[in-house]
Amino acid sequence: MKKNIFLTGLSIRARLTASISILTVFSLILCGSCIYPLVHRIVQDNIEKELHNTTRAMVNMVQAAVNVSVRSHLRAIAEKNLEIVSLIYEEYQSGKISEDEAKQRAERILLGQTIGKTGYLYCLNSNGNVAIHPRSQVKGTNISDHEFIREQTALKNGYINYEWNNPGEKEKKAKALFMSYFAPWDWIISVSAYKNEFSYLINADDFREKVMEISLGKSGYVFIIGKDEEIIVHPWVKGSMKEFYDTLGYQFLHDIYKQKNGKIAYRWQSPDSSEPRKKIAVFEELPQLGWIVASSVYTDEIYGPLNKIITFICLSIAIALLLAIPLGAVVSDSITTPVRRLAELFAEAAKGNWGVRSAHDSRDEIGTLSQGFNRFMDDLQGMKSDLNTEVEIRQKSEYRRRLFEEVFKNAMEGICITDTEGKIIATNPAFTAITGYRQEEILGRNPKILKSDKHSNEFYERMWTQIREKGHWTGEIWNRRKTGESYPELLSISAIRDADGAPTHYVSVFHDITEMKSKEEQLKYQAHHDALTGLPNRILLIDRIAMAISRAKRHETRLALFYLDLDNFKNVNDSLGHETGDRILIQTTERLKQIFKPQDTLARLGGDEFVIMIEGIASELDLITRIEKLLSSFARPFSIDETTLHVTTSLGITIFPDDGEDAGTLIKNADMAMYQAKEEGRNGYHMFRQEMNERAKRRLTVENALRRAVADREFSVYYQPKTDLETATVYGLEALVRWIRPDGIVISPGEFIPLAEETGLIIDIGRIVLETACKDLPVISNKTGLPLSVSINLSGRQLDDPEILNDIRSTVQNTGCNPGNIEFEITESTLMDDVKGTVELLEQISEMGFSLSIDDFGTGYSSLAYLKRFPINTLKIDRSFVMDITESEEDTSIVQTIIDMSRNLGLDVVAEGVEKPEQSAKLLSLGCSRIQGFLYGKPMPLQELIEHLNN
Ligand code: C2E
Ligand code: CA
Ligand code: CA
C-alpha cells in the first residue's frame, strides 16, 4: 500500500485543519486572482461606459443646449421681425404709408438681415407661395411640394427641423427654422439656418454652468473643445487650446482634437496638486458644431472602487486566512472529535476496559464506525466472556488435572492404567512402593506379572467377566511383589469407556492391605485377648474349644478344661490394691505358660479366673500329672516388690466328651467343679465326674506311694530271657523293673512307669534298675555259667537327665560291671524326639562300650536315613506286630521289612512278645531267629531265673 506521506506524523485534526486552511486560502486566492481581473474588467468597462454615457449625455445636453440656444436665437429674430412687420403695418394702417410701401419696407428689412454665415429670412403664404425670399427668382413660386413647407403652412408658428440642400449643393444638410405668422399679410415669417453654422449662433455661456455642474467622481469634469482647438468649456482653462498645450506640453489635447472620438490616458498636473496624476478622458465629437465633448477623471478616482474591491478581496482573503485555521480547526474538530473519542475509547479498550461503548449514533461514517466499534466491543466482550469461561473451564480442568495428578502421585493406593490390550501405560509412585516395580520397567507390560498363584484361573475369569459386564470389579486379591513376596490388596478395576461405551482403558486402584490385615488381626487379637495378660479371652476360648472338639471328634481323642480360680484373690485386691492384684495375675499367667505347652490354650475369663484347655489327653495319669504340676507351681510364693505372697488356686476340671458336648457346657461344668474344689478347702482340684474325681485322687495317692517306694527302694528287677532259635539257647536277658509293695503286691511297670516318667521318679528308679542289673549279672553268670548280656530300658526322661552319663559311669565303676555285657534299650519314639541330642548321647554311651537297641521298633516313624546315624546294634520288633503275624499279612510284611532293613544295616533283630509257637515259626521263616516272649520265658525274679536257666 502506498503510504500517504502528506503531513504524516500529525493528527488527523491537524491534517484536516491544515488541509481546510490551505484549501480555503488556495481557493480564495484562486477566486481572487480570477475574480479580480474580471471585476477589474467589468468595473473598468462600466466606468468607461459610464464615462462614454456621461460624454454622450454631455453631447446630447450640449446638442440640446445648442438647439435651445439656436431656437431661442431664431425665435428672437423671428419675433423681432414680426414686431418690425407689425410696426410697419401699423404705419400703413395709420395711413402714413401704403400697403405696398409697407410691404416693400418690410421686405427690405427682412432680406437685409443675415443669419449666421448662410442663414436667411423668408416669408411664405399659407398656401405655400413664397412672399419674400433672398433669392428673387423663388419669389412668387409655390413650394408647397416640399414636406417641411407643408408642415410650415400647417403650423404657421414654431420651430421645425428639416433637411435641405441649397441649389448647387450635393448633400442635404440639417436646417432649423422658426416661424412667426403675420396674419394681416398672411406672411409666415421664417428664419432658417444651417445647423452646422449654429456655432456662430451659440453663446457658450448659455450652457457653461450646466456643463460645469456635471461632476464625475470626486474631481472629474467635462470639457469642450471647439473648432480651431479653442477651449470652449473647461473648469479653469480658457482660450485657445494651442497656447495651453504649447505652454504645458499637453500633446494629448491635440490628440483628442485629432481623434475626435475615443479614449485617452494621460498624465495631468492639476493646479491643486503637486504631482501629475494619471487621468483618463473619453471624448466624442458633436458633428453639427465640430466640437469635442470630453469627460476626464483621475484614474485612481475611478478605479477607487476597483482598489476597494482588491482591498476587499485581499482583506477577505486575510480574514479568510485568519478564519480558515480556526474554521479548519472547528470543522476538523467537528469531524475528528467523534473520531478522537472513538480513538480514546479504543485506547481505553486497549487498556482492558472492555465495557466502554460509543454513544455516537450519527448516520455518517463515524456513526457506522461507532456502531462497528460497539458491535466489535460487544463481540469482543462476548468472546472475552466466552474466552474467560473457556479459560475458567480450562483452569478448572487444569486444576482438576493437577489435582488428579497430585492425587495420582500421592495416592496411598497403587494406581495402574492399562489399555484395552492390557498393556500398562501409567503407574503411580504408590504402585512402585507397593509392587516394587518402577514405572519404566513395567510400562508396556501386562499386569499379569503381578499375579500370585493364590487364585485359580476361574477366579480371574469371573473377575474379567464382571468387568466386561458391569464395568467394575472390587475385591480382595493376592498379588506378588517384584521380590516374589505375595501380599493381599484391596483391588478395584474400572473400565473407562468412550462415548460409544467401548472400553478404552482399565484403571486398577489397589491398596496394600497387608498392614490392614495385620491390624485386622490385631483388632481380632484385641477382641479375642485379654488386655492385661495378653491371653485369649472367653470368646477366643470358646472358639478354640469348639475347634478342638471337632478335632477330638475326628481323632477320637479327649480334651480337658481346667477352670482355675485364685484363692482369696478378692482379699489380695482389697488389701494390697488392684495393681498388686494385676501383677499377681500376670505372674500367674507366666507360671501357667511355663507349665503348659504352646498347643494348649491358656485363657483368662476375667478377674482371677483362667481356663486351660488341653488337647490330646493321653491318659488319666497324663491329666493328673498336669493337675499336680499346676497346683505345685503355686507352692512357690509370688514376690511382689520384695514382699512374698502365698497364693493358691482351686481347679475345676471337665473332660470332653465325658462332661459336655460343647464349649459352653464344658466351661460351665468346669466352673461348678471349681466351686466344689473351693468347698473342699481350696488349693486343690475337683473333677466334674465323681468316679473320675475319685480315680484321679487315687492316682495322687499312687504317686505319693511311688515317691515313698523310691525312697524306700521298693523295686525289684525281673529278667526275661531272649532265646536264639538257631542255637536254641538263651543268649540274653531283659531287665524289667517291678514295684514290690510292702504288702507284697507286685505292681507291673505299665502302671507306674508313665507316672514315674512324668514325675521324674524314673531317674531314681532307672538308677536302681541299672545298679541291680549290674550286680545281678555276675551272679547269674556264676550260677548258670552262661555268658549272658542284659538289656536295660532307658526312658526318654532318663536320656534328658544331664546326669545320665555320670550315673552310668559311676554305676559301672561301683559294680565293676562290664559294659560289653550291657545293652540299653531306647524306644523308637524317644529316639526321634531330639535326633541330634540323642545321637550325641548314644555315641558317648556306645563309646563307653555299651550296646544299644531300638525298642518297640515299628511304632515310631524312624527312617532309614536316621537309623544310620545312630550307633545301634539291635532292632526290637514291637509286640503289636508279632501278635497278629500269623493272621495279618500287613503285619507280616512290616516284620519282613524290619528284618530286611536290619539285615541291610548289619543289625541284630529281636522279636518281642512271642507267645505262640506259630509266631515263633513264622518269625524264623521270615529270618528272625531271636525271640523274646512268654513262649520262652516270662520276666522272672533273679532266683527263679537262675533256676529257669539251669533247668
Ligand atoms: P518292654 O521294654 O517292651 O518290655 C517287654 C514287656 O513285654 C514286659 O512287660 C514283658 O513282661 C512283656 N512280655 C514279654 N513277653 C511277653 C509275651 O509273650 N506276652 C506278653 N503279653 N507280654 C510279654 P513288663 O515287664 O510289664 O514291662 C512293661 C514295660 O515297662 C516295658 O516294656 C518297659 O518299657 C517298661 N519297663 C520295665 N522295666 C523297666 C525299667 O527297669 N526301666 C524302664 N525305663 N522301663 C521299664
Ligand atoms: Ca524293653
Ligand atoms: Ca518292648
Side-chain angles (χ1 to χ4, degrees):
M1 207 172 110
K2 206 171 147 190
K3 199 177 172 187
N4 182 8
I5 56 156
F6 177 65
L7 296 172
T8 42
L10 291 178
S11 66
I12 296 176
R13 187 170 172 262
R15 274 189 275 172
L16 262 177
T17 307
S19 308
I20 291 169
S21 308
I22 290 165
L23 267 174
T24 311
V25 170
F26 183 74
S27 48
L28 274 172
I29 289 171
L30 195 73
C31 284
S33 58
C34 288
I35 289 166
Y36 174 72
L38 203 75
V39 169
H40 188 272
R41 187 160 189 93
I42 291 166
V43 167
Q44 202 175 22
D45 284 359
N46 280 344
I47 286 166
E48 281 173 13
K49 211 183 227 169
E50 180 72 23
L51 278 174
H52 277 293
N53 287 343
T54 305
T55 311
R56 168 133 311 273
M58 204 44 42
V59 167
N60 288 339
M61 199 198 77
V62 172
Q63 185 75 58
V66 166
N67 284 345
V68 167
S69 178
V70 168
R71 185 177 162 154
S72 55
H73 187 73
L74 293 178
R75 181 182 186 160
I77 294 167
E79 280 174 358
K80 198 178 87 182
N81 285 294
L82 183 62
E83 228 175 69
I84 292 166
V85 171
S86 295
L87 283 169
I88 294 167
Y89 184 73
E90 273 174 25
E91 273 178 47
Y92 151 66
Q93 286 259 304
S94 61
K96 291 171 186 176
I97 59 172
S98 68
E99 194 174 36
D100 284 335
E101 266 182 324
K103 279 189 183 177
Q104 281 168 6
R105 218 188 200 178
E107 195 175 355
R108 272 190 319 269
I109 291 166
L110 284 169
L111 292 175
Q113 292 168 63
T114 55
I115 312 301
K117 240 169 140 183
T118 58
Y120 54 86
L121 283 165
Y122 69 92
C123 293
L124 282 179
N125 295 81
S126 13
N127 54 9
N129 286 325
V130 178
I132 297 164
H133 200 281
R135 285 187 306 164
S136 51
Q137 69 263 36
V138 178
K139 197 172 170 180
T141 60
N142 192 299
I143 53 168
S144 60
D145 54 330
H146 291 284
E147 174 67 36
F148 74 94
I149 297 298
R150 279 196 299 275
E151 202 175 340
Q152 269 189 297
T153 55
L155 287 170
K156 289 179 180 77
N157 281 299
Y159 185 79
I160 56 169
N161 293 299
Y162 64 99
E163 300 278 306
W164 179 256
N165 55 328
N166 285 335
E169 287 174 354
K170 276 185 222 170
E171 282 181 17
K172 280 186 179 175
K173 284 196 236 171
K175 266 194 126 171
L177 75 80
F178 202 91
M179 354 172 241
S180 295
Y181 184 60
F182 187 71
W185 289 339
D186 188 28
W187 282 4
I188 301 165
I189 305 162
S190 305
V191 183
S192 79
Y194 282 105
K195 282 185 179 176
N196 58 3
E197 288 172 3
F198 277 5
S199 53
Y200 304 105
L201 306 174
I202 293 166
N203 183 3
D205 295 335
D206 289 349
F207 52 83
R208 174 175 287 116
E209 263 181 54
K210 240 201 183 125
V211 170
M212 296 319 292
E213 269 170 26
I214 297 168
S215 66
L216 292 168
K218 217 167 116 191
S219 56
Y221 53 86
V222 178
F223 62 94
I224 303 169
I225 303 165
K227 282 180 180 170
D228 308 322
E229 298 181 51
E230 186 198 0
I231 292 182
I232 298 167
V233 177
H234 196 279
W236 62 89
V237 181
K238 274 181 189 147
S240 170
M241 209 169 68
K242 264 187 189 145
E243 282 171 48
F244 183 66
Y245 70 67
D246 285 347
T247 50
L248 289 170
Y250 282 137
Q251 178 62 36
F252 76 90
L253 288 172
H254 183 62
D255 294 342
I256 291 172
Y257 184 72
K258 274 191 162 169
Q259 280 181 34
K260 307 261 191 268
N261 286 296
K263 187 178 79 175
I264 195 161
Y266 59 96
R267 296 180 81 82
W268 176 263
Q269 173 82 52
S270 85
D272 52 359
S273 67
S274 52
E275 289 223 349
R277 286 162 71 192
K278 269 190 177 172
K279 278 199 96 165
I280 184 169
V282 173
F283 48 93
E284 202 174 308
E285 192 190 18
L286 234 159
Q288 284 170 330
L289 297 175
W291 292 359
I292 294 165
V293 177
S295 303
S296 86
V297 286
Y298 285 105
T299 24
D300 53 2
E301 270 173 25
I302 59 159
Y303 291 136
L306 208 59
N307 289 336
K308 270 184 195 163
I309 287 170
I310 293 170
T311 318
F312 174 74
I313 289 172
C314 290
L315 216 72
S316 298
I317 290 174
I319 290 167
L321 257 174
L322 284 175
L323 286 176
I325 294 168
L327 189 81
V330 167
V331 170
S332 60
D333 237 26
S334 74
I335 296 169
T336 58
T337 301
V339 174
R340 203 187 59 243
R341 294 229 177 95
L342 260 181
E344 280 166 10
L345 290 179
F346 266 110
E348 189 73 10
K351 273 186 214 157
N353 182 6
W354 291 15
V356 291
R357 290 294 180 276
S358 171
H360 194 88
D361 58 353
S362 62
R363 287 167 168 252
D364 56 9
E365 292 87 337
I366 295 167
T368 313
L369 197 65
S370 163
Q371 283 163 19
F373 171 77
N374 288 353
R375 263 203 309 278
F376 180 68
M377 287 314 292
D378 286 348
D379 288 356
L380 212 59
Q381 215 164 23
M383 286 192 312
K384 187 188 182 180
S385 89
D386 287 355
L387 205 66
N388 280 346
T389 315
E390 172 85 19
V391 165
E392 213 172 299
I393 291 167
R394 274 176 191 238
Q395 276 174 346
K396 269 186 194 163
S397 70
E398 169 65 15
Y399 173 75
R400 279 164 68 91
R401 191 191 64 73
R402 276 209 306 249
L403 195 74
F404 286 131
E405 200 176 273
E406 283 305 304
V407 169
F408 186 72
K409 261 201 285 186
N410 298 314
M412 297 290 288
E413 286 75 20
I415 302 172
C416 171
I417 303 170
T418 61
D419 60 16
T420 45
E421 286 171 17
K423 276 188 192 159
I424 295 175
I425 60 161
T427 61
N428 69 342
F431 177 93
T432 305
I434 295 170
T435 64
Y437 286 103
R438 278 172 290 116
Q439 175 157 312
E440 57 267 29
E441 63 184 334
I442 197 141
L443 283 186
R445 299 180 70 179
N446 194 294
K448 270 181 193 164
I449 60 166
L450 301 171
K451 212 163 142 181
S452 74
D453 48 15
K454 297 217 179 187
H455 303 283
S456 61
N457 285 339
E458 292 76 54
F459 172 85
Y460 290 107
E461 274 162 24
R462 272 200 307 277
M463 181 174 100
W464 280 105
T465 307
Q466 194 188 322
I467 293 168
R468 271 192 296 275
E469 285 170 1
K470 296 184 178 171
H472 192 80
W473 183 89
T474 305
E476 267 187 39
I477 189 169
W478 281 83
N479 266 355
R480 192 190 298 282
R481 299 188 214 274
K482 193 183 176 186
T483 54
E485 175 200 359
S486 326
Y487 67 97
E489 64 179 34
L490 191 63
L491 173 66
S492 161
I493 302 178
S494 301
I496 308 290
R497 299 178 192 277
D498 61 14
D500 303 328
T504 60
H505 295 91
Y506 294 101
V507 177
S508 311
V509 179
F510 58 91
H511 190 78
D512 187 345
I513 53 171
T514 313
E515 228 170 274
M516 204 173 89
K517 284 247 163 190
S518 76
K519 277 254 172 66
E520 213 174 82
E521 246 132 57
Q522 196 183 327
L523 273 176
K524 214 158 141 191
Y525 179 87
Q526 281 168 1
H528 291 114
H529 290 80
D530 165 49
L532 179 68
T533 59
L535 295 176
N537 61 12
R538 181 187 289 269
I539 298 164
L540 182 57
L541 174 70
I542 288 170
D543 196 44
R544 295 233 178 129
I545 294 170
M547 288 196 296
I549 286 173
S550 64
R551 269 196 298 275
K553 277 180 180 167
R554 263 202 313 279
H555 299 120
E556 292 185 348
T557 53
R558 307 177 146 230
L559 66 93
L561 282 197
F562 289 10
Y563 201 112
L564 182 151
D565 189 292
L566 298 183
D567 297 329
N568 302 316
F569 186 68
K570 194 173 176 296
N571 288 350
V572 175
N573 255 351
D574 291 349
S575 55
L576 301 172
H578 282 272
E579 205 200 322
T580 308
D582 284 352
R583 288 169 72 176
I584 287 169
L585 290 174
I586 291 165
Q587 286 191 23
T588 301
T589 307
E590 292 307 315
R591 288 188 185 190
L592 293 175
K593 278 182 180 171
Q594 282 171 7
I595 298 162
F596 293 96
K597 294 176 189 160
Q599 59 263 35
D600 300 330
T601 295
L602 178 58
R604 180 175 172 228
L605 300 188
D608 59 342
E609 294 179 351
F610 295 83
V611 170
I612 300 117
M613 179 191 70
I614 302 144
E615 282 186 83
I617 293 290
S619 60
E620 273 179 23
L621 176 66
D622 181 18
L623 186 69
I624 303 265
T625 310
R626 289 168 195 263
I627 294 168
E628 287 298 316
K629 246 187 192 172
L630 200 157
L631 289 175
S632 64
S633 75
F634 281 85
R636 246 185 321 128
F638 288 73
S639 60
I640 311 283
D641 295 336
E642 291 165 15
T643 55
T644 51
L645 228 100
H646 282 277
V647 178
T648 56
T649 185
S650 298
L651 276 179
I653 294 148
T654 46
I655 304 289
F656 172 82
D658 309 336
D659 304 331
E661 291 286 316
D662 58 89
T665 312
L666 287 170
I667 293 170
K668 193 187 79 198
N669 289 345
D671 190 15
M672 280 168 63
M674 185 272 292
Y675 271 98
Q676 200 63 43
K678 292 261 183 200
E679 272 175 23
E680 284 167 11
R682 299 196 170 87
N683 194 17
Y685 71 94
H686 189 91
M687 305 199 62
F688 184 70
R689 282 270 179 101
Q690 197 52 43
E691 70 269 24
M692 215 169 137
N693 194 42
E694 280 164 11
R695 255 204 317 275
K697 294 284 158 73
R698 196 168 61 233
R699 285 283 173 188
L700 199 61
T701 322
V702 171
E703 192 193 324
N704 290 335
L706 188 63
R707 252 174 231 289
R708 205 188 50 247
V710 170
D712 297 348
R713 292 181 77 94
E714 290 176 1
F715 297 100
S716 168
V717 176
Y718 281 30
Y719 297 96
Q720 189 179 24
K722 291 188 281 183
T723 312
D724 190 336
L725 293 180
E726 279 180 0
T727 54
T729 54
V730 172
Y731 71 96
L733 307 166
E734 179 176 2
L736 295 160
V737 72
R738 295 291 182 271
W739 178 11
I740 317 288
R741 292 220 325 220
D743 53 9
I745 293 170
V746 176
I747 298 167
S748 69
E751 265 187 72
F752 67 87
I753 287 288
L755 188 62
E757 281 181 331
E758 281 157 28
T759 53
L761 289 171
I762 188 72
I763 291 165
D764 292 327
I765 297 169
R767 212 179 279 131
I768 294 168
V769 173
L770 181 61
E771 270 175 27
T772 312
C774 283
K775 280 179 191 159
D776 288 348
L777 191 58
V779 176
I780 296 165
S781 300
N782 287 339
K783 294 271 173 79
T784 63
L786 291 170
L788 299 174
S789 65
V790 67
S791 298
I792 297 164
N793 292 288
L794 283 180
S795 82
R797 188 71 195 264
Q798 284 173 281
L799 294 178
D800 289 341
D801 179 22
E803 290 300 308
I804 179 76
L805 284 173
N806 290 337
D807 277 358
I808 294 171
R809 204 174 285 121
S810 62
T811 308
V812 170
Q813 278 170 4
N814 290 344
T815 55
C817 177
N818 177 13
N821 294 330
I822 293 170
E823 184 183 62
F824 289 113
E825 290 188 7
I826 297 143
T827 60
E828 192 185 2
S829 53
T830 305
L831 264 184
M832 294 303 153
D833 262 0
D834 169 21
V835 174
K836 193 166 174 269
T838 312
V839 168
E840 278 173 21
L841 181 68
L842 295 187
E843 271 170 356
Q844 281 175 295
I845 294 171
S846 174
E847 276 165 22
M848 285 163 73
F850 298 100
S851 296
L852 289 165
S853 71
I854 299 178
D855 201 359
D856 302 346
F857 194 81
T859 56
Y861 306 95
S862 49
S863 73
L864 204 61
Y866 280 136
L867 284 179
K868 279 182 176 173
R869 292 174 61 182
F870 294 112
I872 46 173
N873 313 92
T874 313
L875 291 183
K876 292 188 78 174
I877 300 169
D878 190 66
R879 190 167 70 89
S880 57
F881 302 113
V882 176
M883 221 152 54
D884 297 329
I885 195 163
T886 49
E887 288 95 37
S888 167
E889 275 187 28
E890 197 189 331
D891 286 353
T892 306
S893 79
I894 289 171
V895 169
Q896 180 70 73
T897 307
I898 295 170
I899 292 164
D900 291 347
M901 196 193 285
S902 58
R903 193 171 293 151
N904 285 336
L905 290 169
L907 300 176
D908 275 346
V909 65
V910 184
E912 282 187 309
V914 179
E915 292 178 357
K916 297 170 185 164
E918 310 92 84
Q919 292 167 337
S920 158
K922 182 79 178 186
L923 284 163
L924 191 62
S925 73
L926 289 173
C928 176
S929 60
R930 297 193 162 185
I931 304 293
Q932 180 185 350
F934 292 170
L935 186 63
Y936 299 100
K938 287 190 174 186
M940 298 163 266
L942 181 66
Q943 282 311 315
E944 198 181 326
L945 174 81
I946 292 166
E947 281 168 26
H948 175 81
L949 290 174
N950 288 333
N951 284 332

